[in-house]
Amino acid sequence: MLTAWMARCGIHARTVDKRSTKIYSGQADGLQIRSLEIFESFGFCDRAWKEANHLIEMCMWNPGSDGVIRRSDRVPDVPVGLSRFTEIVLHQGRIERFFLDHIKKHSKDSIHVERAVVPETLDISEDLCDEHSAESYPLSVKLRHLTDDEAAPAQNKGSTTSDGLFRSNLAEDDTDALIEKAKEKQGTSEIVRAKYLVGCDGAHSWTRRQLGFQLEGEPTDYIWGVLDIIPITDFPDIRMRCAVHSASSGSLMVIPRENKLVRLYIQLNEIKPDASGRADRSKITPETIICAAQKIIAPYSLRYEYCDWYTAYQIGQRVGTDFDYKNRVFLAGDAVHTHSPKAGQGMNVSMQDAYNLGWKLGLVVKGIAQPSILRTYQSERRRIAQDLIAFDHKFSRLFSGRPAKDILDESGVSMADFKEAFLKGNLFAAGLSVDYGASMLVAKAGDASEQGDGTDVSSQTRVVGKQELATNIKLGMRFPSFKVLNQADARVWHFQQRLQSDGRFRLIVFAGNVLAPPQQARLTAFCAALSSCSFLAPHLYTNIAVLTCHSAKRIETELLRDVPAVLHPFDQRTGWDYDSVYVDDASYHEGYAEAYAGYGVARETGCVVVARPDQYVGYVGALDGDAGWEAVEAYFRGVFV
Amino acid sequence: MLTAWMARCGIHARTVDKRSTKIYSGQADGLQIRSLEIFESFGFCDRAWKEANHLIEMCMWNPGSDGVIRRSDRVPDVPVGLSRFTEIVLHQGRIERFFLDHIKKHSKDSIHVERAVVPETLDISEDLCDEHSAESYPLSVKLRHLTDDEAAPAQNKGSTTSDGLFRSNLAEDDTDALIEKAKEKQGTSEIVRAKYLVGCDGAHSWTRRQLGFQLEGEPTDYIWGVLDIIPITDFPDIRMRCAVHSASSGSLMVIPRENKLVRLYIQLNEIKPDASGRADRSKITPETIICAAQKIIAPYSLRYEYCDWYTAYQIGQRVGTDFDYKNRVFLAGDAVHTHSPKAGQGMNVSMQDAYNLGWKLGLVVKGIAQPSILRTYQSERRRIAQDLIAFDHKFSRLFSGRPAKDILDESGVSMADFKEAFLKGNLFAAGLSVDYGASMLVAKAGDASEQGDGTDVSSQTRVVGKQELATNIKLGMRFPSFKVLNQADARVWHFQQRLQSDGRFRLIVFAGNVLAPPQQARLTAFCAALSSCSFLAPHLYTNIAVLTCHSAKRIETELLRDVPAVLHPFDQRTGWDYDSVYVDDASYHEGYAEAYAGYGVARETGCVVVARPDQYVGYVGALDGDAGWEAVEAYFRGVFV
């Protein structure tokens, strides 16, 4: 994800991976709604959507009074009406493929993921960290190149079923061993000088160790196994997402996958951590895991002829103390938050860490944005990690606990509580409840450090947007989506689709009723201020794309007559821009005008919104030539150099 | 398209093209709804849908009483509610790319389009034509291989703007010249022995000439130019599909395309055919064409900096006398029907010729179907070509004619007539009115030769389906689409999406209310007959896929308990089939159960439908164990060996 941003922003970057291959089986698989929106903003959501299995319904199976499991509930997997997307499931290797293809295309084949390369030393020139000149490279990393064979984990050699235990949190880290091996064999090494370094290097993060930062939190005694199999079963809901609580054999989650595969998360009650707190990996095989599953799912039969992958993990929730070092070295993903995988959050939240950081780095490296915006990475994402850990703590205990026999069984888990936690957690799990706090990037009222993780992200030019002008375009949350029509060709788009991840901010002009003379006058004044603003005019179109949505009747409106030229600029070679002006009006084939109502914007008078390059809402204000414009300018003065 | 079918059916085939490259610019661009359904059945519609421009609205511009053009009408480009697709526009080179990728994948890289290869002689062993043994190869074709340079048309060398005139019907055929050149240079030649040959070799078809068949019809005096440009204009509807009739400078059609391109079809009033009936190509340049366009579109300005491609053509309608020779040599596309391109029919109808023929050839070559089914190619497609030519004759005259000044101006074209013709032609143009006549493949009442082009396609075992059991699944028309849910996982599908083009017939069981005991009994009897039928059982799943849609409540129905196993067969290695049984019930995110009503099938009692491998409806009948089953068997006895 981070490399994708580097490719999109045109940043010279290198990406190294200690493993010698991409993922070919197993690992993460769930893609939440927000991740799909992000994929769409990069232009490859359709590939995932087509190949993936779609999760529509969640079925809950619990023991009846006779101790036999039965289906107690069916609920939609994601709330109805929440999004044009649902949760989908696709193996991580395909997702890596989409990213690799995207990076290749947008970097013009100049950035590759370099495999079988391990970092050996990190040197930081402390005095250069605050110096943001083009020639300042405060970081120096020694990289060592392994052969493919050296980089392959011992467990993975020669087996038929893919064994994922070597990547599990039950396994020791092998980074140091790899470095030692490479040194012994005198593998090639090189020194890379860099302005920034991001460690997306997992729970055992080498980068985090160099910085001396900690993951705080405790493991539990719960050990779970994971199987990717083509199941042969008479269990009725094997193609539904299921949570199965057995009376006394533990719990199981069913995640139906693409190509007839089903992923099973299976509680391994018979395997416990030893005195050192670590479980014996040698006892964990596909056979022991399926045996545990059979006990849970009885009286239904369950077996397989084909197993694609398996692993196991120990549940625990930990969050990093620090997400960055002097805004020069950053940590993302499992390097700063680990938890159980069953809510499908790991890959999604980790990608979203990098999605948050990438464009900020891109704009700072290019000298467009002030380096201070990098502080918002920890403030925004560490807060999310804390929320995630709290969510997972609650959810995984409810899932791993023994179901209560009856209302008097206080040591058991109430299945009503479990269902409620699932439903409540749905919006969070979909990734749509993310609400970044006030900062130079979010013109929100309130205390910036209280709303984040405590990091100082206050802006010198404090701007507070007028939330009441767009009640459903929440400051700090992602720009929501409703259908609009292109004024020039009447095609329907989800408005969010026009906010592509190309590193540009969006100035979104809800132009209101452009055919009403007073509103036309306000719009004209605003556009005049826009084109004549000496601070912003140079950024227009290059760093700030302009999108318009008006509310007049489409067929009564003429783009060239009724919409100021700055909103659909003329190009000497290609003529007028026909892709920037939209209208909230009825369509022939896809229903009626609901965008202004959905966004909570007044149809006559509209408003102005600034969306960050990651689609999060930075500013909402009035469409006014003077006061309205000054606030927009002040917002960008807090962001741009 | 034909090669795609060969790849899907696993047929050993070769495809040769006299040109040395695929299309890189210009040529056909419109994709009609039926073509998109076909692309979807091959699995690549999404690629076209994503890259293409979507045509939503058609605007009509006509002269007012002052002679100045103004917009007189806006109509939806395709009728509302007709389909999940609309008309889209994408340059032919991309469409060829999708096919080439598909062929590569499904032929396991064994079939390639061999370029710069011309046929030199065709020998037919007359006595072998009716002998359908595996060793019988009645055809022998001599192929000559050119160098790329030899195969490149003279006009295409060294120009900056792509000149499409060399492919236009204004140009002479160069096949003989290419053959002569190759002979002189002693280019490599080879003899290919074949069971079947299909000439998709254009209006000048070499194959047609070898057979001595004619194209019947006359050219008109209307000459039109075509420009693919990025327009710089103040014409308001340049991103709409437009028909512009000027008072006295001719007509123009606007087709907005992908990547800011717009295609203009422009009547060239000042260029006329000479005494030989042929226009002087040397007068036709991008400059002369844009000048003609400027006169038509005045008072609006129109110019360009970038021209991607241009060509010109002379309007005429011609249809082939014969579409096959002894069912061994076939002709498709422009080889048997030529007409004007403005209704976007050429590429679509031509692809659909090959789509009709490919699976029939595939099944006959594999020894599954009787060779007599090949007779339906001419009967079905020549009739379509005749309808097309009649449509184009009317439409192109209305479009090329001078608009009437007023109601008394009888030599002018009434703009009301033009609009009516457009609206009436819409269903035809979308490709959805195709209605194949009675034959061994279509169990329809009435006279087989009257319903086709006169070819004898009567079946030995005449079966007539019961249309009244599925009033909107019309015998001879394509299986329409409504949304259904997968019983096993609740995912919504357009039912037509489950009729993939893999060479298999579909037995579609509308199982009705499977939870009602009488209906359950009927279904059980039908399924028992299905599994025990000695003629059909060997074809089940391999040549006849089984799809079910029932009408009981999804959540009250259990797949394994309520639906007979033959409808979702068990596999030793992969367990039960979860992809074959659907339900017409409400979905969480995509609306309510409307499939049975849409199909016109009784919810309680259902019916049985057979769809051919090309999705056209072959049979409709009752879901009965005895009489119902016998008719299904009789249908297939008329088709399979």
Side-chain angles (χ1 to χ4, degrees):
Chain A
M1 176 66 88
L2 196 77
T3 311
W5 262 131
M6 296 301 103
R8 292 300 294 248
C9 293
I11 303 299
H12 184 55
R14 291 184 62 179
T15 302
V16 302
D17 181 359
K18 70 177 177 180
R19 300 294 172 210
S20 53
T21 66
K22 67 188 272 293
I23 299 282
Y24 287 107
S25 56
Q27 296 293 114
D29 56 4
L31 286 167
Q32 306 291 359
I33 289 171
R34 181 59 190 148
S35 295
L36 294 174
E37 291 180 350
I38 293 170
F39 285 10
E40 190 177 55
S41 77
F42 281 118
F44 58 74
C45 179
D46 54 315
R47 295 182 70 183
W49 190 252
K50 182 179 182 181
E51 289 188 26
N53 188 45
H54 294 213
L55 299 185
I56 306 297
E57 194 170 72
M58 166 91 167
C59 294
M60 301 192 185
W61 286 72
N62 300 313
S65 53
D66 56 358
V68 178
I69 59 167
R70 86 263 179 267
R71 186 195 299 117
S72 62
D73 274 297
R74 296 178 190 261
V75 293
D77 183 67
V78 299
V80 171
L82 185 64
S83 167
R84 62 197 180 282
F85 298 116
T86 53
E87 186 182 6
I88 64 173
V89 195
L90 180 66
H91 125 65
Q92 184 174 333
R94 291 304 298 161
I95 297 163
E96 292 186 8
R97 168 51 53 210
F98 306 151
F99 273 106
L100 291 170
D101 289 348
H102 189 77
I103 292 163
K104 183 183 169 85
K105 177 179 170 191
H106 286 276
S107 75
K108 298 186 176 62
D109 213 9
S110 74
I111 308 181
H112 302 97
V113 176
E114 303 166 46
R115 314 241 179 222
V117 178
V118 285
E120 197 174 304
T121 58
L122 164 62
D123 291 309
I124 305 176
S125 302
E126 301 286 344
D127 50 332
L128 290 180
C129 283
D130 291 326
E131 193 180 302
H132 291 279
S133 68
E135 301 73 29
S136 167
Y137 290 84
L139 310 178
S140 175
V141 180
K142 185 173 187 181
L143 297 178
R144 192 150 307 250
H145 295 248
L146 309 175
T147 66
D148 287 354
D149 192 56
E150 286 160 7
Q155 298 91 322
N156 214 16
K157 291 174 185 165
S159 76
T160 48
T161 299
S162 232
D163 170 358
L165 284 170
F166 72 94
R167 287 183 190 265
S168 150
N169 66 356
L170 299 179
E172 298 284 352
D173 180 33
D174 65 348
T175 306
D176 288 343
L178 287 173
I179 296 173
E180 284 312 309
K181 193 158 55 175
K183 273 188 191 166
E184 274 167 31
K185 300 207 175 180
Q186 301 189 310
T188 328
S189 71
E190 61 172 324
I191 304 288
V192 178
R193 295 175 60 232
K195 291 179 192 282
Y196 299 95
L197 172 70
V198 186
C200 309
D201 47 354
H204 296 299
S205 175
W206 175 90
T207 314
R208 190 187 66 228
R209 276 198 284 142
Q210 309 316 302
L211 300 171
F213 295 157
Q214 303 302 318
L215 278 183
E216 292 178 333
E218 289 302 323
T220 68
D221 286 351
Y222 297 121
I223 311 276
W224 284 65
V226 189
L227 281 182
D228 282 353
I229 58 173
I230 298 180
I232 302 173
T233 181
D234 57 2
F235 180 68
D237 288 347
I238 197 70
R239 296 301 305 172
M240 297 291 187
R241 185 175 173 200
C242 294
V244 181
H245 277 90
S246 73
S248 56
S249 302
S251 299
L252 177 153
M253 179 167 271
V254 180
I255 307 280
R257 287 261 302 272
E258 72 283 3
N259 296 333
K260 296 180 187 290
L261 284 175
V262 171
R263 168 161 295 187
L264 300 175
Y265 288 104
I266 301 146
Q267 193 170 359
L268 302 178
N269 272 346
E270 292 173 15
I271 295 175
K272 294 286 176 199
D274 60 17
S276 75
R278 206 175 275 278
D280 181 357
R281 282 163 61 194
S282 70
K283 290 185 188 160
I284 299 170
T285 65
E287 292 72 28
T288 58
I289 302 175
I290 193 77
C291 278
Q294 286 162 344
K295 285 185 191 165
I296 299 167
I297 212 167
Y300 298 100
S301 67
L302 174 67
R303 63 187 181 85
Y304 63 82
E305 295 279 322
Y306 177 73
C307 176
D308 194 58
W309 180 80
Y310 74 99
T311 191
Y313 58 90
Q314 183 168 1
I315 291 182
Q317 290 84 22
R318 299 194 298 164
V319 61
T321 50
D322 301 82
F323 277 38
D324 78 83
Y325 180 78
K326 292 195 172 180
N327 288 307
R328 288 292 185 173
V329 185
F330 299 87
L331 300 171
D334 282 8
V336 276
H337 44 76
T338 65
H339 50 91
S340 63
K342 282 184 303 293
Q345 293 299 296
M347 178 174 63
N348 290 277
V349 174
S350 296
M351 287 195 300
Q352 287 161 36
D353 286 344
Y355 185 66
N356 180 287
L357 177 58
W359 63 272
K360 296 173 185 173
L361 277 179
L363 291 182
V364 170
V365 170
K366 292 204 283 186
I368 296 163
Q370 299 173 27
S372 59
I373 70 166
L374 296 175
R375 296 203 301 265
T376 62
Y377 172 65
Q378 163 152 341
S379 136
E380 293 178 344
R381 297 308 299 178
R382 188 158 174 268
R383 177 58 182 265
I384 296 298
Q386 290 164 337
D387 294 348
L388 167 64
I389 261 55
F391 167 75
D392 187 66
H393 185 84
K394 182 171 181 190
F395 187 69
S396 66
R397 274 165 175 71
L398 285 171
F399 199 22
S400 296
R402 176 184 59 77
K405 291 198 181 68
D406 50 42
I407 200 161
L408 298 175
D409 178 6
E410 289 183 5
S411 71
V413 171
S414 147
M415 290 297 99
D417 287 355
F418 176 72
K419 181 182 174 188
E420 194 191 326
F422 175 80
L423 291 175
K424 270 198 186 161
N426 238 340
L427 198 70
F428 179 84
L432 299 183
S433 63
V434 168
D435 185 4
Y436 294 142
S439 71
M440 67 291 278
L441 289 171
V442 178
K444 208 180 200 177
D447 185 297
S449 53
E450 270 180 23
Q451 292 174 6
D453 85 318
T455 306
D456 174 21
V457 288
S458 54
S459 173
Q460 288 175 317
T461 58
R462 179 75 190 262
V463 182
V464 175
K466 295 182 175 171
Q467 185 66 73
E468 67 276 16
L469 295 179
T471 52
N472 195 27
I473 305 177
K474 304 280 190 198
L475 287 158
M477 298 184 76
R478 72 96 168 78
F479 187 81
S481 201
F482 295 93
K483 286 182 177 179
V484 295
L485 280 70
N486 183 312
Q487 171 64 39
D489 66 14
R491 180 171 176 183
V492 174
W493 294 90
H494 257 284
F495 205 20
Q496 197 190 55
Q497 294 178 308
R498 309 319 288 166
L499 279 66
Q500 290 291 297
S501 288
D502 55 12
R504 296 188 295 173
F505 282 77
R506 255 68 182 182
L507 179 67
I508 302 162
V509 179
F510 284 91
N513 180 4
V514 293
L515 298 182
Q519 181 65 7
Q520 178 71 236
R522 292 177 74 214
L523 180 65
T524 305
F526 181 85
C527 288
L530 178 55
S531 0
S532 62
C533 172
S534 64
F535 181 73
L536 282 185
H539 290 293
L540 272 193
Y541 316 125
T542 52
N543 301 321
I544 305 172
V546 182
L547 277 175
T548 298
C549 179
H550 73 83
S551 66
K553 280 277 162 211
R554 176 178 66 83
I555 64 169
E556 292 168 9
T557 306
E558 297 284 0
L559 180 69
L560 303 188
R561 182 191 69 196
D562 301 320
V563 183
V566 70
L567 303 179
H568 56 100
F570 184 83
D571 178 276
Q572 291 299 334
R573 189 168 159 75
T574 61
W576 291 104
D577 174 0
Y578 296 103
D579 294 320
S580 297
V581 178
Y582 296 81
V583 52
D584 179 25
D585 198 358
S587 72
Y588 288 119
H589 307 290
E590 300 186 49
Y592 296 97
E594 291 169 349
Y596 268 66
Y599 285 121
V601 173
R603 283 193 81 85
E604 277 300 308
T605 49
C607 71
V608 176
V609 172
V610 174
R612 318 189 317 185
D614 58 3
Q615 302 181 333
Y616 286 82
V617 179
Y619 169 82
V620 174
L623 182 74
D624 285 332
D626 296 327
W629 181 252
E630 279 163 21
V632 173
E633 186 184 341
Y635 172 84
F636 279 110
R637 282 193 186 272
V639 177
F640 285 169
V641 168
Chain B
M1 175 68 87
L2 197 76
T3 311
W5 263 129
M6 296 302 103
R8 291 301 293 247
C9 292
I11 304 299
H12 183 55
R14 290 184 62 180
T15 302
V16 303
D17 181 1
K18 69 176 177 180
R19 301 291 171 213
S20 54
T21 65
K22 66 187 272 294
I23 299 281
Y24 287 108
S25 56
Q27 296 295 114
D29 55 4
L31 286 168
Q32 305 292 358
I33 289 171
R34 181 58 190 149
S35 295
L36 295 174
E37 291 181 350
I38 293 171
F39 285 9
E40 191 177 54
S41 78
F42 281 117
F44 57 73
C45 180
D46 54 315
R47 295 182 69 185
W49 191 252
K50 182 180 182 180
E51 289 188 26
N53 187 46
H54 294 212
L55 298 185
I56 305 298
E57 194 170 71
M58 165 90 169
C59 295
M60 301 193 184
W61 286 72
N62 300 314
S65 53
D66 56 358
V68 177
I69 59 168
R70 86 260 179 269
R71 186 194 299 118
S72 62
D73 275 296
R74 295 178 190 263
V75 293
D77 183 67
V78 298
V80 171
L82 185 64
S83 166
R84 62 197 179 282
F85 297 117
T86 53
E87 185 182 7
I88 64 173
V89 195
L90 180 67
H91 122 67
Q92 184 174 331
R94 290 304 298 160
I95 297 163
E96 292 186 8
R97 169 51 52 210
F98 306 151
F99 272 106
L100 292 169
D101 289 348
H102 189 76
I103 292 162
K104 184 181 168 85
K105 177 179 170 191
H106 285 275
S107 75
K108 298 186 176 61
D109 212 9
S110 72
I111 308 181
H112 301 97
V113 176
E114 302 167 47
R115 312 235 182 230
V117 178
V118 285
E120 196 175 304
T121 58
L122 164 62
D123 292 307
I124 305 176
S125 303
E126 302 288 342
D127 51 333
L128 290 180
C129 283
D130 291 326
E131 193 179 301
H132 291 279
S133 69
E135 300 74 30
S136 169
Y137 290 84
L139 310 177
S140 172
V141 180
K142 186 172 185 182
L143 297 178
R144 179 103 31 196
H145 295 248
L146 309 175
T147 65
D148 287 354
D149 191 56
E150 285 160 7
Q155 297 91 323
N156 214 17
K157 291 174 184 164
S159 75
T160 48
T161 299
S162 234
D163 169 359
L165 285 169
F166 74 96
R167 287 183 189 264
S168 149
N169 66 357
L170 300 179
E172 298 283 353
D173 180 33
D174 66 348
T175 306
D176 288 343
L178 288 173
I179 295 173
E180 285 311 310
K181 193 157 56 173
K183 273 187 191 166
E184 277 167 28
K185 301 208 174 178
Q186 302 188 309
T188 328
S189 70
E190 62 172 322
I191 305 289
V192 178
R193 294 174 62 233
K195 292 178 193 281
Y196 298 95
L197 173 69
V198 186
C200 310
D201 45 354
H204 296 299
S205 175
W206 174 91
T207 313
R208 191 186 65 228
R209 277 197 284 142
Q210 309 315 301
L211 300 172
F213 296 156
Q214 304 302 318
L215 278 183
E216 293 180 332
E218 290 301 321
T220 69
D221 287 350
Y222 298 122
I223 310 276
W224 284 65
V226 189
L227 282 182
D228 282 352
I229 57 173
I230 298 181
I232 302 174
T233 182
D234 57 2
F235 180 68
D237 288 347
I238 198 70
R239 295 301 304 172
M240 297 291 187
R241 186 176 173 199
C242 293
V244 181
H245 278 90
S246 74
S248 56
S249 303
S251 298
L252 176 153
M253 179 167 273
V254 180
I255 307 280
R257 287 260 303 271
E258 73 282 4
N259 296 332
K260 296 181 187 289
L261 285 175
V262 171
R263 168 162 296 188
L264 300 175
Y265 289 104
I266 301 146
Q267 192 169 0
L268 302 179
N269 272 346
E270 292 172 13
I271 295 174
K272 294 287 175 198
D274 60 19
S276 76
R278 206 175 274 280
D280 180 358
R281 283 164 59 195
S282 69
K283 289 185 189 158
I284 300 170
T285 64
E287 292 73 25
T288 57
I289 302 175
I290 193 77
C291 277
Q294 286 162 343
K295 285 184 189 164
I296 299 167
I297 212 166
Y300 298 101
S301 68
L302 174 67
R303 62 186 182 85
Y304 64 81
E305 295 281 322
Y306 176 73
C307 175
D308 194 58
W309 180 80
Y310 74 99
T311 191
Y313 59 90
Q314 182 168 1
I315 291 182
Q317 290 84 22
R318 300 194 300 164
V319 63
T321 51
D322 301 82
F323 278 38
D324 77 82
Y325 181 78
K326 293 195 171 180
N327 289 306
R328 287 292 186 173
V329 185
F330 299 87
L331 299 170
D334 282 9
V336 276
H337 44 75
T338 65
H339 50 89
S340 63
K342 282 184 304 294
Q345 293 299 296
M347 176 173 64
N348 290 277
V349 175
S350 296
M351 287 195 298
Q352 287 162 34
D353 286 345
Y355 186 66
N356 179 286
L357 178 59
W359 63 271
K360 296 173 184 172
L361 277 179
L363 291 182
V364 170
V365 170
K366 291 204 284 186
I368 296 163
Q370 299 173 28
S372 59
I373 69 166
L374 296 174
R375 297 203 302 264
T376 63
Y377 172 65
Q378 164 153 338
S379 135
E380 292 178 344
R381 296 308 298 179
R382 188 156 175 268
R383 178 58 181 264
I384 297 297
Q386 291 165 336
D387 294 347
L388 168 64
I389 261 54
F391 168 76
D392 188 65
H393 186 85
K394 182 172 181 187
F395 187 69
S396 66
R397 275 166 175 71
L398 285 170
F399 199 22
S400 295
R402 177 183 59 78
K405 290 197 183 69
D406 51 43
I407 201 161
L408 298 175
D409 177 6
E410 289 184 5
S411 72
V413 170
S414 147
M415 290 298 99
D417 287 354
F418 176 73
K419 182 181 174 188
E420 194 191 328
F422 174 81
L423 292 174
K424 271 196 185 163
N426 238 340
L427 199 68
F428 180 85
L432 299 183
S433 63
V434 167
D435 185 3
Y436 294 142
S439 71
M440 67 291 277
L441 289 171
V442 178
K444 206 180 201 177
D447 185 297
S449 52
E450 269 179 24
Q451 292 175 6
D453 85 318
T455 307
D456 174 21
V457 288
S458 55
S459 172
Q460 289 175 315
T461 58
R462 180 74 191 261
V463 182
V464 175
K466 296 183 175 172
Q467 185 67 75
E468 66 276 15
L469 295 179
T471 53
N472 196 27
I473 306 178
K474 303 279 190 199
L475 287 157
M477 298 185 77
R478 72 94 167 78
F479 187 81
S481 202
F482 295 93
K483 286 182 177 178
V484 295
L485 279 70
N486 183 312
Q487 172 64 40
D489 65 14
R491 180 171 176 184
V492 174
W493 293 90
H494 256 284
F495 204 22
Q496 197 190 53
Q497 295 178 309
R498 309 319 288 165
L499 279 67
Q500 291 291 296
S501 288
D502 55 12
R504 296 188 294 173
F505 283 77
R506 256 65 181 184
L507 180 67
I508 302 160
V509 179
F510 284 90
N513 179 4
V514 293
L515 298 183
Q519 181 65 7
Q520 179 69 239
R522 294 177 73 214
L523 180 65
T524 305
F526 181 84
C527 290
L530 177 56
S531 359
S532 62
C533 172
S534 65
F535 181 72
L536 282 185
H539 291 291
L540 273 192
Y541 316 126
T542 53
N543 302 319
I544 306 172
V546 182
L547 276 176
T548 299
C549 178
H550 72 83
S551 66
K553 281 277 163 210
R554 176 178 67 84
I555 64 169
E556 293 168 8
T557 307
E558 297 285 359
L559 181 68
L560 303 188
R561 183 192 68 194
D562 302 321
V563 183
V566 69
L567 303 179
H568 57 98
F570 184 82
D571 179 276
Q572 292 298 333
R573 190 167 159 77
T574 61
W576 291 104
D577 174 359
Y578 296 103
D579 294 321
S580 296
V581 179
Y582 296 81
V583 53
D584 180 25
D585 198 359
S587 73
Y588 288 118
H589 307 291
E590 301 185 48
Y592 295 98
E594 292 169 349
Y596 269 66
Y599 285 121
V601 173
R603 283 194 79 84
E604 277 300 309
T605 50
C607 71
V608 177
V609 172
V610 174
R612 319 188 316 185
D614 58 3
Q615 301 182 334
Y616 286 82
V617 179
Y619 170 82
V620 174
L623 181 76
D624 286 333
D626 298 325
W629 181 253
E630 280 162 21
V632 173
E633 187 185 340
Y635 171 85
F636 280 110
R637 282 194 185 271
V639 177
F640 285 169
V641 168

